[in-house]
Amino acid sequence: MSVNRRDFIKGAAGGGAALATAAVVSVPSPAQARPNLEMSPNAVGLLYDSTLCVGCKACVAGCKEANGLPADVNTDDALWDTPLDIGPKTYNVIKLYADGTADHKDQEKDGFAFIKKSCMHCVDPSCVSVCPVSAMTKDKQTGIVGYNADICIGCRYCVASCPFGVPQSEFDTPTPKIRKCEMCRHRQAEGKIPACAEVCPTGATIFGPLTAITEEINRRRAMKAGEANVFERRTLGSGDTHERPAAQYVNHVYGETEVGGTQFRHMAGVPFDKLGYPNLREKSFASESEGIQHTLYKGLIAPALVLGGLVWAAKRASHIDDEHPEE
Amino acid sequence: MAGFHNEHEPLGGSILSKTTIICGILAFIAVVLLAKRMVLGLGAVTNLNNGYPWGLWIVYDVVIGTAFACGGYAMAVLTYILNKGEYHPLVRPALLASCFGYTLGGISIVFDLGRWWNAWHILVPGYMQTNSVMFEVALCVMAYILVLWVEFAPTLLTRFKLLHLRKKLDRVLFVFIALGVLLPSMHQSSLGTLLVVMGYQIHELWQTPILPLLFLMSAITMGFSIVVFEALLGAGGFHRSVRHEMPQLGKLAAIIRTMMIVYLVVRFGDLAVRGALGAIFTSGIKSVMFLIEIALFATPVVLFSSPSKRASKKFLWIGACCLLLAGALYRLDAFLVAYQTGAGWSYFPSVQELLVTIGIIAAEILLYIVFVRKFPVFYTHKLTPAELAAAHTK
Amino acid sequence: MYDDSAAKFETDVETRFGVSRRDFLKFCAAMAATMGLPKGADAQIAAAITKKERPSVIWLHHQECTGCSESLLRSEHPTLEKLILDIISLDYHETLFAAAGHQAEAARKAAMEKNKGKYILVVEGAIPMKDGGIYCKIGGQTSYELTKEVAADAAAIVAVGSCASWGGMPSTPPNPTGSTGVAEALGRKDVVTIPGCPPNPYNILATIVHFLTFGALPKVDELGRPTFAYGRLIHDNCERRSHFDAGRFALEFGDPGHRKGYCLYKLGCKGPETYANCPSILFNDVGTGSWPVGTGHPCIGCTEKHIGFEKPIHALATLKTNPPTSYPRIVEEQGAGASLAAAAVVAGVAGLAIGAGMKIAGNLGKSETTDGE
């Protein structure tokens, strides 16, 4: 049989249409992108108040003890645990912002401020969204972003995707794990609170249900700078308090809206972009990526349709082959 | 179909040559280094760090490597889906290169995975995480590697004289051909989607929601280009005449040109819509890389607009090379140059890391040479062009 | 003074002070070290102390507990009370004096008359100013009148202890007697203050010895405190500082951290906002740990006005120290850039590829005619 022009065009049209479908559905329509995930009403979180922090690093040491982490040595004498940043051996770190003479605490110019870096426990976390094997999970109740090394394949997509650069992979071992703060969920299971909040001498890091944390943030926002106020330590409602004058806060609580909100909130007297926290939009990156992905592959309907067209077209082409006269 | 493929035959000749020996040595070095990585961990061989968790191996061996290996995909689209039988002689060599490209890409993923022994978890329903772009890419790539070998199987079955198996395979081959078009469409676009979730960490010249479309279009075009590239390289390397293939190569060049015009329009349109055009000249080294990339993408558009240049082996070669470089650079830029996870981090591949990648490329070349010399891959052109045309139009 | 005969000096010291020459010189060296004086100062001190004329000292007590004197007396090495009584001529001291009543007052007046303009006035205790200063009287005179009278002809005034320095414990709000320190009561700015509760005896002694040796009082800060003793934060010299830096804190008295000697910051230690040399020179020469923090109690900031006796003991200190450099910066350089070798490999491969590409292009160009259509 010869392929007449008509059949040829039909075949071409079928295959072409299939490909065109694939190409067209590749363009996402924003309307179909999913919204940010909502926070669980039982979510727990942490509040770090840079103005209360004295830079003692008790949280860093407490975290290491609670999580069995080794020293992270970065000096020649190798005498001290001196993490430069969060890393496979360090789940949280206190960093120093210093400007000019660095004389005044919590002041942007000629001042200094401490800032904590650790997992933000996003409400809509990228790391959970990108993990191909569900090794990174978000607890439906507490909202804690946890990790299971037994499932993890070590692709490090979580490391690459996190907008805060939090998950840390080990590179110095043939059996590397991802390391990050899991809000001491093993301690919480025993009824304890995260070690960083437990040991903080000034209540700069404080643990509590996110509803209580939100209230506490509003209370601190209403404080007048310089006036004596009572600050709690360890956990909200602990009764372990101390009194000190409130500082001047910047009008920005980091983590309230960033990438759809985080369960670790930060308050400070210095703008956050100076403290190494990027300005981030409200829409989560996970929702955008999943929006595209689900627009294309929801229920595998589009790929199935395309495949149908392709099979039909390929079948036509192989018929031509079958009847090839050459044998 | 069976008979059709008999027009292919091995090139013959000795496998041992200067090229194959050098490739063998480079491949052996890579094997040693990969063994070292397995014993001591990724950090012992690579410069990977937590600011750049994906380095050369992912970007070259997987992202760029599989795009180079899109020849089989692009030719399958043309030959089997768009039913252009005239391109048939170009399918097998393209398919072979795709087989190696994808298989070696798949193997190198295993070396890049930190916890590779858990890789099978991707196939376990309880672990599958369908929101993950990585999951889709992994699944598609795994499936496509299988499909590619099935597509290439007729060649092997012919070589080992298993003709009854081949007949059976031929009857269902169209399903695999269809899959062989669907799967790369899915994961080549998703390689772009991988970056969407990284948000602000990818520079605005590259970060866009239409990354999947841009990746898919450039991958298909790279597929066509690699076919042109391989045919002309074969003409040099194996002293084959490409006289019979020149008309098809010229037509491929025309397709490449059209696709690239569309690609560039979409790319710049996207930059304009996002208001990122200004960043083209104000982003330092990223601007430079962007402009080089665009220049390389635009070169084939200019060259292949002239019919006389489309008929010239030299200009076909230059145009195809430029486009392949452009596609590779686009991926390198998007994944590494444009990526900045936070101030202070830097990455450049280590010598050992580079040697592994070079070794993998060498292995690919080595295997390709062995295959074309020992298996019926290349079209023989014993028929006259007239006979050939008759065979196809009959 | 002592250069004419070493033997004579030896005999002199030994008979006068009842200590060996060696111990005496050790004391002089210790004094020099306490004040941070350069090498050779110990000889000068020895010369000054061995002078036949001992300077007259008049020591007044007001609102206080005599803890400062008690502390001074308990210095052991060398036996300071012996030295202080023999180096200086303590002509009036209400608690150490054997004399009493009018006899004592007469002695004071006689000393003031005899050493007019040359004696040293040491004040211990706060001076009440409210209601005409009636809340503390000695020999019918109020503290204020007495101090003013003695201060008028003094060569130097030394306020010993927190009470004399700014009012100390008696001045704690609401301060019912209106008590205040010597400098404020007299309206003078040349008063050297040695705050502390009690102040370290070495600091008192060193200040007086400095005056004896050099004829002038030591350099002081804006609060009148000798900088040799009050120039640095307790926090900076504290033996528990490493625990602070490593974030190891006692959370409660008697908890495991407390027993292990962890930092007492969370228990309210005022070391981070208190200037004193306590952790360096310790108390009473009994070896390590003989200071409040060493024994497990947080510093109460007794040398700092508005902190000692005023800020609650459990309240957290405000860190006065500038941030040390031991913190990671916001941006730290991490990861490896291009090594020369790696860059060379990349350049080599790129060069090779471009070269090969050009060569093939050239070959293809040449074959255009032979292999073409």
Side-chain angles (χ1 to χ4, degrees):
Chain A
M1 186 192 112
S2 70
V3 181
N4 63 30
R5 191 176 166 74
R6 188 185 156 80
D7 286 342
F8 180 87
I9 289 172
K10 268 164 72 183
L19 265 189
T21 317
V24 166
V25 294
S26 296
V27 185
S29 51
Q32 280 171 287
R34 74 159 172 82
N36 288 348
L37 295 182
E38 296 285 331
M39 182 149 51
S40 153
N42 301 324
V44 292
L46 291 159
L47 170 64
Y48 171 78
D49 189 331
S50 166
T51 69
L52 292 179
C53 181
V54 294
C56 68
K57 305 185 205 169
C59 49
V60 182
C63 174
K64 293 219 165 185
E65 199 176 326
N67 291 293
L69 299 171
D72 189 355
V73 173
N74 284 296
T75 53
D76 291 337
D77 53 15
L79 284 173
W80 300 84
D81 180 21
T82 49
L84 294 176
D85 210 326
I86 53 170
K89 297 173 184 165
T90 309
Y91 293 171
N92 77 3
V93 75
I94 295 293
K95 295 193 140 204
L96 174 74
Y97 163 80
D99 177 81
T101 57
D103 283 334
H104 307 282
K105 192 164 185 293
D106 304 314
Q107 184 175 306
E108 187 182 346
K109 199 158 168 24
D110 283 337
F112 70 95
F114 297 107
I115 188 71
K116 183 200 278 287
K117 191 173 171 189
S118 77
C119 178
M120 300 292 282
H121 295 276
C122 301
V123 175
D124 192 353
S126 294
C127 58
V128 173
S129 166
V130 302
C131 182
V133 289
S134 321
M136 204 63 90
T137 51
K138 187 161 180 71
D139 190 283
K140 289 208 164 46
Q141 287 300 314
T142 62
I144 294 173
V145 177
Y147 167 73
N148 185 345
D150 292 338
I151 304 177
C152 175
I153 62 170
C155 70
R156 306 187 296 285
Y157 197 5
C158 51
V159 183
S161 68
C162 176
F164 305 103
V166 167
Q168 302 283 310
S169 178
E170 296 169 317
F171 290 102
D172 53 358
T173 157
T175 58
K177 291 175 181 153
I178 300 296
R179 300 284 197 164
K180 71 178 266 302
C181 157
E182 297 176 71
M183 224 192 270
C184 282
R185 55 178 180 166
H186 61 292
R187 282 172 59 90
Q188 289 195 42
E190 298 166 7
K192 296 179 189 161
I193 65 168
C196 54
E198 176 76 43
V199 299
C200 180
T202 64
T205 304
I206 189 161
F207 173 79
L210 222 66
T211 45
I213 283 184
T214 313
E215 271 174 39
E216 176 66 12
I217 287 170
N218 290 336
R219 187 179 78 92
R220 290 188 191 182
R221 268 182 166 155
M223 288 175 184
K224 276 212 180 83
E227 273 183 15
N229 275 287
V230 173
F231 294 92
E232 274 176 301
R233 287 187 277 212
R234 302 183 204 192
T235 173
L236 290 162
S238 66
D240 174 10
T241 61
H242 71 99
E243 195 181 278
R244 53 154 285 160
Q248 182 69 52
Y249 293 104
V250 292
N251 186 25
H252 181 187
V253 176
Y254 201 88
E256 276 191 331
T257 60
E258 278 76 11
V259 289
T262 65
Q263 288 172 223
F264 196 158
R265 306 261 162 103
H266 293 247
M267 297 182 84
V270 171
F272 280 99
D273 54 343
K274 293 277 174 10
L275 300 176
Y277 277 86
N279 288 317
L280 294 179
R281 64 181 194 194
E282 189 162 354
K283 181 161 178 54
S284 73
F285 296 115
S287 69
E288 186 178 358
S289 166
E290 288 184 28
I292 293 174
Q293 202 63 358
H294 290 311
T295 306
L296 295 179
Y297 300 113
K298 188 83 187 174
L300 287 178
I301 294 166
L305 282 176
V306 175
L307 184 63
L310 291 171
V311 168
W312 177 79
K315 177 79 178 152
R316 286 194 68 79
S318 65
H319 272 308
I320 303 161
D321 274 1
D322 280 348
E323 290 157 44
H324 198 273
E326 185 210 338
E327 248 162 312
Chain B
M1 190 164 182
F4 197 87
H5 287 156
N6 281 352
E7 292 155 351
H8 300 85
E9 59 180 36
L11 293 173
S14 167
I15 289 172
L16 280 183
S17 72
K18 218 192 277 174
T19 314
T20 53
I21 289 170
I22 291 172
C23 285
I25 292 169
L26 288 172
F28 178 74
I29 293 172
V31 168
V32 172
L33 289 171
L34 287 175
K36 183 178 170 193
R37 172 259 174 271
M38 281 308 192
V39 176
L40 298 175
L42 277 166
V45 177
T46 71
N47 269 354
L48 290 177
N49 55 52
N50 280 303
Y52 288 89
W54 289 351
L56 181 69
W57 291 1
I58 285 285
V59 176
Y60 182 80
D61 303 348
V62 181
V63 181
I64 298 177
T66 59
F68 278 156
C70 274
Y73 162 50
M75 293 321 290
V77 171
L78 263 190
T79 315
Y80 299 118
I81 305 302
L82 300 180
N83 213 349
K84 308 255 188 201
E86 57 183 310
Y87 294 101
H88 204 274
L90 299 172
V91 170
R92 267 204 197 174
L95 211 50
L96 179 62
S98 296
C99 282
F100 290 139
Y102 267 95
T103 308
L104 287 172
I107 291 170
S108 44
I109 293 175
V110 172
F111 285 96
D112 196 77
L113 285 181
R115 302 174 71 77
W116 49 272
W117 59 93
N118 281 344
W120 56 277
H121 287 171
I122 287 186
L123 302 171
V124 178
Y127 293 149
M128 286 178 174
Q129 213 282 96
T130 53
N131 292 333
S132 170
V133 184
M134 172 76 80
F135 167 73
E136 187 231 316
V137 170
L139 219 56
C140 281
V141 169
M142 279 193 242
Y144 186 52
I145 291 173
L146 282 181
V147 167
L148 274 172
W149 284 104
V150 172
E151 284 186 275
F152 190 67
T155 309
L156 300 175
L157 295 176
T158 310
R159 170 72 178 74
F160 297 114
K161 311 238 184 293
L162 298 164
L163 291 176
H164 58 290
L165 272 180
R166 216 199 117 164
K167 278 222 163 71
K168 278 184 195 158
L169 177 62
D170 281 349
R171 265 182 227 121
V172 291
L173 200 58
F174 67 95
V175 176
F176 289 96
I177 288 168
L179 279 171
V181 171
L182 176 73
L183 293 173
S185 303
M186 284 170 71
H187 70 248
Q188 283 298 339
S189 59
S190 293
L191 284 173
T193 322
L194 275 181
L195 298 176
V196 170
V197 75
M198 298 188 191
Y200 79 100
Q201 300 176 89
I202 305 289
H203 189 265
E204 58 176 336
L205 284 174
W206 287 273
Q207 180 63 285
T208 161
I210 62 160
L211 269 169
L213 181 63
L214 293 173
F215 264 67
L216 182 64
M217 286 172 71
S218 56
I220 296 175
T221 322
M222 285 171 82
F224 290 132
S225 305
I226 200 81
V227 172
V228 175
F229 175 90
E230 277 164 12
L232 293 170
L233 187 69
F238 301 103
H239 305 294
R240 275 182 73 247
S241 164
V242 285
R243 185 162 52 94
H244 300 286
E245 290 156 16
M246 277 307 283
Q248 281 75 44
L249 295 182
K251 282 179 191 168
L252 283 183
I255 297 174
I256 290 170
R257 182 200 60 149
T258 313
M259 289 201 66
M260 264 311 103
I261 290 171
V262 178
Y263 173 87
L264 288 173
V265 168
V266 172
R267 185 118 186 243
F268 278 92
D270 168 64
L271 284 176
V273 168
R274 287 187 295 112
L277 282 172
I280 293 175
F281 299 104
T282 57
S283 310
I285 184 74
K286 293 185 176 76
S287 286
V288 175
M289 297 301 276
F290 177 84
L291 291 170
I292 295 175
E293 195 189 286
I294 294 299
L296 286 170
F297 271 127
T299 308
V301 174
V302 177
L303 286 182
F304 295 164
S305 291
S306 144
S308 67
K309 290 200 172 122
R310 287 209 297 271
S312 151
K313 278 185 281 186
K314 180 179 170 185
F315 286 109
L316 277 177
W317 168 259
I318 293 174
C321 284
C322 282
L323 198 121
L324 290 171
L325 279 178
L329 196 59
Y330 175 51
R331 283 155 175 77
L332 184 76
D333 283 350
F335 271 82
L336 278 179
V337 177
Y339 183 75
Q340 178 72 52
T341 193
W345 285 103
S346 50
Y347 165 79
F348 194 86
S350 69
V351 172
Q352 298 182 63
E353 207 173 347
L354 287 162
L355 284 175
V356 168
T357 292
I358 292 169
I360 287 174
I361 298 170
E364 220 166 312
I365 296 171
L366 182 65
L367 287 172
Y368 188 83
I369 292 173
V370 171
F371 263 69
V372 297
R373 289 204 187 282
K374 297 292 169 200
F375 292 88
V377 173
F378 274 114
Y379 215 68
T380 56
H381 298 301
K382 279 174 184 160
L383 302 170
T384 66
E387 282 170 326
L388 197 64
H392 282 300
T393 52
K394 195 164 186 182
Chain C
M1 191 55 60
Y2 55 89
D3 53 355
D4 50 340
S5 158
K8 186 182 165 229
F9 170 77
E10 206 165 301
T11 322
D12 200 21
V13 168
E14 281 175 0
T15 50
R16 251 183 79 188
F17 304 136
V19 295
S20 70
R21 175 175 176 271
R22 185 181 166 80
D23 283 346
F24 175 73
L25 290 179
K26 267 166 77 180
F27 165 74
C28 293
M31 283 294 102
T34 301
M35 291 183 280
L37 297 173
K39 204 179 164 202
D42 50 345
Q44 270 180 285
I45 291 169
I49 291 175
T50 46
K51 270 184 192 165
K52 291 276 189 251
E53 289 171 53
R54 296 172 300 157
S56 169
V57 171
I58 295 174
W59 190 300
L60 299 180
H61 294 252
H62 303 305
Q63 289 178 309
E64 42 86 335
C65 64
T66 319
C68 305
S69 294
E70 290 286 345
S71 167
L72 195 59
L73 290 173
R74 265 149 196 79
S75 296
E76 294 271 330
H77 180 76
T79 48
L80 272 182
E81 82 280 10
K82 215 164 190 180
L83 272 175
I84 191 92
L85 294 175
D86 290 333
I87 295 163
I88 58 176
S89 168
L90 189 58
D91 293 330
Y92 181 82
H93 189 292
E94 282 150 16
T95 43
L96 296 180
F97 239 26
H102 293 295
Q103 197 185 6
E105 289 305 304
R108 173 173 67 80
K109 290 213 169 9
M112 283 169 61
E113 193 60 38
K114 185 183 163 202
N115 301 303
K116 193 170 180 178
K118 287 188 281 183
Y119 61 85
I120 300 171
L121 167 61
V122 177
V123 184
E124 185 180 346
I127 298 170
M129 299 297 283
K130 207 168 172 182
D131 303 328
I134 55 165
Y135 299 107
C136 183
K137 284 189 171 180
I138 298 114
Q141 277 180 299
T142 64
S143 289
Y144 172 67
E145 289 161 355
L146 181 61
T147 313
K148 197 176 173 195
E149 183 195 331
V150 181
D153 294 322
I157 307 171
V158 179
V160 167
S162 305
C163 303
S165 295
W166 75 82
M169 214 261 284
S171 72
T172 304
N175 193 0
T177 64
S179 62
T180 187
V182 180
E184 203 185 320
L186 298 180
R188 287 177 68 153
K189 287 190 173 151
D190 58 348
V191 177
V192 174
T193 62
I194 320 265
C197 193
N200 197 297
Y202 275 112
N203 292 341
I204 303 171
L205 202 54
T207 304
I208 294 172
V209 166
H210 190 283
F211 184 75
L212 290 184
T213 309
F214 301 106
L217 290 163
K219 191 168 160 259
V220 296
D221 64 12
E222 71 276 12
L223 297 173
R225 302 181 297 191
T227 50
F228 72 78
Y230 301 91
R232 296 183 72 181
L233 279 174
I234 285 182
H235 192 52
D236 288 347
N237 287 321
C238 180
E239 71 248 25
R240 299 190 183 210
R241 173 58 183 269
S242 54
H243 291 297
F244 177 90
D245 285 344
R248 293 187 292 260
F249 293 99
L251 302 180
E252 283 170 26
F253 284 101
D255 76 356
H258 192 234
R259 276 179 272 156
K260 283 177 190 161
Y262 285 0
C263 177
L264 303 169
Y265 174 75
K266 199 175 173 178
L267 296 176
C269 181
K270 305 297 185 295
E273 54 184 343
T274 302
Y275 290 88
N277 57 357
C278 312
S280 311
I281 65 171
L282 306 173
F283 285 83
N284 300 341
D285 301 303
V286 292
T288 54
S290 55
W291 68 298
V293 170
T295 63
H297 193 282
C299 166
I300 63 166
C302 66
T303 64
E304 292 288 335
K305 193 177 179 180
H306 297 314
I307 294 173
F309 320 111
E310 204 171 315
K311 196 167 173 178
I313 289 176
H314 68 274
L316 296 185
T318 309
L319 266 74
K320 270 191 184 152
T321 175
N322 253 11
T325 52
S326 63
Y327 292 91
R329 296 162 297 169
I330 298 294
V331 173
E332 287 286 352
E333 300 300 321
Q334 293 179 90
S339 70
L340 201 61
V345 170
V346 170
V349 169
L352 212 65
I354 291 172
M358 301 282 268
K359 186 155 191 298
I360 292 175
N363 287 347
L364 288 170
K366 264 182 257 166
S367 73
E368 216 83 80
T369 43
T370 55
D371 192 35
E373 264 67 19

